[in-house]
């Protein structure tokens, strides 16, 4: 796809060809007395490329909470240096220049970079950031969000859900409307509650004035090391199943908000990383639950199990991307987590 330079004559400028061509049309204007704006569009685009293009994701939000599995967040450790270093070599002052330069550079900045939210963000910083982008949302080319296994509740045979031993639940939906109801009673046990904030994120990405024939965006969802929704590859103490409810709903929301001619404007991709041996041994199980695996890359992960100096261990891993098979017809919610310890039922509050 070409970069369109709006030079009052609708000239077209292509500074990168083939697979490297950008996904977003960038409008440029030479109608100014500024010497910079009097430069040819090709030169300005190259300046923006050198000044505003990051080779790695720009980290917008990164923090870890200090809490147990079911306790509310009471303190966060911010990774401020990590956030700052991800944009240190970028000339972000261009975004605050004259109206024309700021508009041109913003289009380039948001379309060419990947913006990442990581850690225990609970999705609301993503919503706030997208809302503040306003018109610049239409230029987003790549957004990456770490996702955690959804919080859980205890489900009874009548379908009602009750809080477990954590007090920070924002609401307990009895049953998501997009999931078909079972013909009989619900299974009792620990089930996931999908945060509605995730649907809000997808709806905000759709609320743009951009040209969907030109606009292409990828939303990367990263559940973390050895976390693949729908399957447990390695069992240990405290193992829990990250079900397919969230991936299925995300795909439904994409279809809901990006329908018709703009159906392909948003692509949902899940990231994954597991040990190489486990990947080759269990790849057929991953694909068997509806995941299409692409872009495999062998790498290594440094692991220090006891956090002792000099005790680092190198683990060969496989990084890959996954996309869900298209969903047709009604979907049934996942059953209770088979790894739940049933004594946890003692901590359920049936009075909420």
């Amino acid at each position: 796809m070409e970069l369109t330079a709006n030079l009052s004559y609708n000239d077209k400028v292509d500074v990168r060809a083939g697979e490297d061509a950008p996904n977003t049309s960038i409008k440029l204007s030479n109608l100014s007395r500024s010497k910079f704006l009097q430069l040819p569009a090709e030169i300005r685009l190259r300046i923006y490329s050198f000044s505003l293009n990051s080779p790695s994701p720009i980290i917008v939000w990164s923090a870890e909470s200090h809490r147990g599995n079911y306790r509310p967040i009471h303190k966060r450790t911010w990774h401020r240096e990590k956030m700052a270093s991800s944009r240190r070599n970028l000339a972000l002052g261009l975004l605050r220049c004259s109206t024309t330069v700021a508009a041109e550079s913003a289009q380039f900045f948001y379309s060419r970079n990947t913006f990442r939210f990581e850690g225990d963000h609970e999705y609301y910083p993503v919503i706030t950031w997208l809302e503040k982008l306003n018109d610049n949302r239409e230029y987003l080319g790549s957004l990456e969000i770490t996702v955690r296994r959804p919080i859980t509740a205890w489900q009874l045979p009548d379908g009602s859900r009750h809080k477990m031993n954590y007090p920070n639940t924002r609401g307990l939906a009895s049953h998501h409307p997009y999931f078909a109801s079972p013909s009989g009673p619900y299974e009792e046990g620990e089930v996931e509650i999908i945060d509605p904030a995730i649907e809000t994120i997808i709806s905000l990405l759709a609320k743009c004035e951009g040209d969907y024939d030109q606009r292409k965006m990828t939303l990367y969802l990263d559940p973390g090391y050895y976390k693949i929704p729908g399957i447990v590859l390695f069992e240990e103490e405290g193992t829990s199943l990250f079900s397919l409810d969230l991936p299925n709903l995300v795909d439904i929301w994409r279809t809901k908000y990006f329908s018709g001619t703009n159906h392909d404007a948003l692509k949902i991709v899940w990231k994954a990383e597991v040990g190489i041996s486990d990947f080759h041994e269990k790849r057929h199980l991953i694909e068997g639950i509806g995941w299409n695996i692409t872009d495999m890359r062998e790498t290594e992960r440094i692991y220090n199990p006891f956090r002792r100096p000099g005790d680092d261990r190198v683990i060969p891993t496989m990084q890959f991307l996954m996309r869900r098979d298209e969903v047709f017809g009604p979907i049934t919610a996942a059953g209770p987590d088979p790894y739940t310890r049933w004594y946890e039922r003692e901590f359920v509050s049936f009075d909420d």
Side-chain angles (χ1 to χ4, degrees), residues 95-121:
L95 302 175
R96 298 184 292 272
C97 287
S98 67
T99 302
T100 303
V101 174
E104 289 182 1
S105 57
Q107 292 176 53
F108 190 99
F109 178 66
Y110 290 110
S111 65
R112 293 291 188 88
N113 292 302
T114 296
F115 298 88
R116 178 175 171 85
F117 290 78
E118 60 184 29
D120 296 322
H121 49 69

Side-chain angles (χ1 to χ4, degrees), residues 249-277:
L249 283 175
V250 165
D251 195 63
I252 290 173
W253 291 328
R254 182 188 67 84
T255 302
K256 173 184 177 181
Y257 293 103
F258 290 84
S259 60
T261 58
N262 65 339
H263 176 73
D264 295 325
L266 177 66
K267 181 167 65 173
I268 306 289
V269 178
W270 290 75
K271 303 182 72 173
E273 181 179 4
V274 302
I276 287 182
S277 59

Side-chain angles (χ1 to χ4, degrees), residues 29-230:
S29 174
N30 272 342
L31 305 178
S32 173
R33 295 181 180 178
S34 166
K35 292 185 178 180
F36 177 75
L37 291 173
Q38 289 174 5
L39 292 172
E42 297 92 333
I43 301 300
R44 296 209 305 280
L45 284 171
R46 290 191 179 276
I47 292 173
Y48 294 142
S49 179
F50 290 132
S51 306
L52 296 170
N53 197 5
S54 175
S56 57
I58 296 173
I59 301 175
V60 183
W61 198 100
S62 179
E64 295 294 335
S65 63
H66 299 275
R67 61 176 175 182
N69 290 335
Y70 300 108
R71 296 171 186 166
I73 296 174
H74 65 274
K75 183 179 179 181
R76 279 197 175 102
T77 298
W78 291 91
H79 303 153
R80 301 189 188 280
E81 175 57 29
K82 188 176 184 180
M83 295 163 62
S85 63
S86 70
R87 54 181 182 269
R88 182 164 293 146
N89 296 323
L90 302 177
L92 298 181
L94 288 169
L95 302 175
R96 298 184 292 272
C97 287
S98 67
T99 302
T100 303
V101 174
E104 289 182 1
S105 57
Q107 292 176 53
F108 190 99
F109 178 66
Y110 290 110
S111 65
R112 293 291 188 88
N113 292 302
T114 296
F115 298 88
R116 178 175 171 85
F117 290 78
E118 60 184 29
D120 296 322
H121 49 69
E122 298 185 319
Y123 304 109
Y124 289 95
V126 186
I127 293 174
T128 301
W129 183 74
L130 288 173
E131 290 174 339
K132 290 182 177 179
L133 283 185
N134 295 322
D135 294 341
N136 288 325
R137 277 204 308 273
E138 70 178 271
Y139 307 127
L140 277 177
S142 179
L143 178 63
E144 187 172 317
I145 305 173
T146 59
V147 294
R148 306 293 191 193
R149 183 199 180 209
I151 60 174
T152 57
W154 195 268
Q155 178 174 269
L156 294 180
D158 63 0
S160 62
R161 295 179 175 183
H162 302 267
K163 294 181 181 180
M164 299 183 68
N165 57 342
Y166 48 87
N168 62 327
T169 306
R170 279 188 288 269
L172 296 177
S174 59
H175 196 64
H176 199 283
Y178 289 145
F179 288 139
S181 299
S183 57
Y186 290 87
E187 293 184 68
E188 181 174 356
E190 186 181 13
V191 295
E192 295 175 348
I193 305 170
I194 307 301
D195 195 327
I198 307 173
E199 181 178 5
T200 302
I201 291 172
I202 296 178
S203 69
L204 282 171
L205 295 176
K207 292 177 181 177
C208 301
E209 300 299 328
D211 183 354
Y212 286 109
D213 292 333
Q214 301 292 325
R215 179 172 178 256
K216 300 291 183 182
M217 180 189 172
T218 303
L219 174 61
Y220 293 96
L221 300 175
D222 184 359
Y225 185 51
Y226 260 94
K227 299 293 185 182
I228 297 180

Side-chain angles (χ1 to χ4, degrees), residues 220 269 293-298 318-322:
Y220 293 96
V269 178
I293 296 175
T294 62
D295 297 341
M296 294 169 287
R297 182 173 73 92
E298 294 186 10
M318 181 73 78
Q319 293 179 344
F320 53 98
L321 302 179
M322 306 184 301

